[in-house]
Structure formats: structure tokens, C-alpha cells
Amino acid sequence: MTTTARARARAELTNEIKAVARRQLAEEGAAALSLRAVAREVGMVSSAVYRYFPSRDDLLTALIVDAYDAVGAAAEDADPGDRADVARRWLAVTRAVRAWALANPQEYALIYGSPVPGYRAPEATIDPATRVSVALLRIVHDGVVAGEITADDSVSIPRAVRDDLAAIRELAAPEVADEALVRALFVWAEMFGSISLELFGHLHNVIHDFDAYFDVQMRRAGTLLVGSAT
């Protein structure tokens, strides 16, 4: 389908508005994002910007969706896709997520940091937000199918948690037992916790080689994922 000149111009201006908004995020933070300030920097009157984004929350949603899609694509592209070698796939994906976060710290903070006061995320953010999680669950599923990941049926899991795990299983993890899903959630939290501690400065003057430290953590997390204590 041929894109019209008008549609191309609208797309270019939409991208410019979002680029300016991202700079505002870096300088002022998400809570201070202002359509009027964005319009001023783009060289438009406020009423013209409202034709692209009717409210600040609409612009914020667009930035959030873009960020989730970007980090999701980074995770998906990094996965070698082999059914075997869960630990290697896990390390590749987590390294890619961290690299994206370090290259895009304000966007990482927007989606994985503190909630923006007064903002309520719409349903449009749900699918993009699951992309990193689904990339991990795909590795777990493949590991179960290949016999690399096993579950300890003797582990006690409360019914309320089992109900939540059933919903996760329906998302992208058929055939994955509850105890294996618990481990998957644990290492998922370990990945984002490690990245957040580094990115938000909580380990400065504690860890001096973050590349090496992250790899140590993620390799250990990978052994936990496959159920190995070694």
C-alpha cells in the first residue's frame, strides 16, 4: 500500500513530538511532561499538538508502548531460539535487556521505575508490556519440552498462587509445572532487580565491574532456572 505524503508528514511529526517528549523525560522526569512545553519546542501551537495526542496521558502512553516494544524486541532478537541450552539462551536475553536499559535509562525508568502520579495505564500497554516476560517463558517452555527443566512436585505452593500461575501458563507456558514457573518468576525478578539497582545508582562504590557482576548473577539465575544447584 502506498503511503500518502500527508500520512508520511503526520508520521514524521508524530515521531518528532515523541522525540522531544523523550528529551523532556530525561531532563524533567515523567511527572513533569507537558504538552505545551513539547509543542513549544517542536514549534507548534498547543492546539495543533492536541490533534496528535489529545492529552498528556495519551503522549505518555505512546512513549510507554514504544519503550515496551523496544525492550521486548531486544529480548526477542537476542534469543538464539535453540530448544536446548536454557542457561545460554537466558544469559543472552538478560544481557540484551540490560544493554537496552543502559542505552535508554529514562525509558527504562518510565516502564520499570516508580509509577507516574495521576497516570493510569490503558489496555493498549498490556501486550507490549508482556513481551520480555513471554520471551523468558518461551525459554522455560522449551527447556521443559527438552527435559532440561524439571519441577519438584513436593514444593508446597498456596492455592492463590497456583491460580495466578495458571494464568501465566495460559499466556505462554503450556506444560510448565507450577514450581518451575515460580523459579521463572524468581529469576525474572532477579534480572530486573539487578538492572534497577545498577541503573538507579544503588550499587555505586559497592560494585566496580557491573558487566562481570551481572554475568555472575545471571549465570547463577540460569542454574536455578533449570533446577541445578551447581
Side-chain angles (χ1 to χ4, degrees):
M1 180 181 296
T2 303
T3 305
T4 66
R6 182 175 182 178
R8 289 196 299 273
R10 182 177 180 84
E12 289 173 3
L13 191 49
T14 298
N15 288 334
E16 184 178 355
I17 291 170
K18 290 194 291 186
V20 169
R22 290 188 187 97
R23 286 200 295 272
Q24 273 199 19
L25 289 181
E27 295 169 2
E28 306 291 341
L33 183 64
S34 164
L35 277 179
R36 290 183 179 275
V38 170
R40 187 164 52 248
E41 187 170 342
V42 174
M44 301 171 64
V45 296
S46 298
S47 59
V49 173
Y50 289 129
R51 290 199 293 269
Y52 291 81
F53 297 100
S55 70
R56 181 213 68 158
D57 284 3
D58 289 306
L59 176 55
L60 199 54
T61 295
L63 299 178
I64 288 170
V65 168
D66 284 354
Y68 275 132
D69 278 336
V71 67
E76 292 160 0
D77 291 345
D79 184 0
D82 305 330
R83 282 201 175 266
D85 205 346
V86 166
R88 182 172 68 89
R89 291 174 64 186
W90 159 254
L91 184 61
V93 169
T94 56
R95 281 173 172 170
V97 173
R98 174 176 176 262
W100 181 88
L102 295 179
N104 304 276
Q106 296 303 323
E107 291 173 83
Y108 178 89
L110 177 63
I111 56 178
Y112 295 119
S114 300
V116 180
Y119 174 78
R120 188 179 181 87
E123 288 188 6
T125 62
I126 294 176
D127 285 346
T130 65
R131 288 181 65 175
V132 172
S133 302
V134 169
L136 170 58
L137 288 172
R138 190 175 296 116
I139 295 172
V140 175
H141 172 262
D142 289 351
V144 169
V145 171
E148 278 194 80
I149 295 178
T150 57
D152 184 351
D153 293 334
S154 68
V155 174
S156 177
I157 300 174
R159 177 171 294 278
V161 176
R162 288 190 183 277
D163 290 343
D164 291 334
L165 295 175
I168 295 172
R169 187 179 297 106
E170 289 182 7
L171 177 64
E175 305 179 60
V176 180
D178 285 349
E179 194 271 335
L181 281 178
V182 168
R183 295 204 309 270
L185 288 172
F186 184 89
V187 297
W188 179 90
E190 179 77 8
M191 173 185 68
F192 281 115
S194 180
I195 293 170
S196 294
L197 287 173
E198 175 185 357
L199 201 62
F200 300 145
H202 298 296
L203 292 177
H204 286 179
N205 298 321
V206 176
I207 300 299
H208 297 89
D209 187 335
F210 283 104
D211 291 344
Y213 179 69
F214 185 79
D215 270 15
V216 167
Q217 284 194 300
M218 293 304 103
R219 290 181 190 279
R220 293 298 297 171
T223 63
L224 175 62
L225 189 60
V226 299
S228 170
T230 58

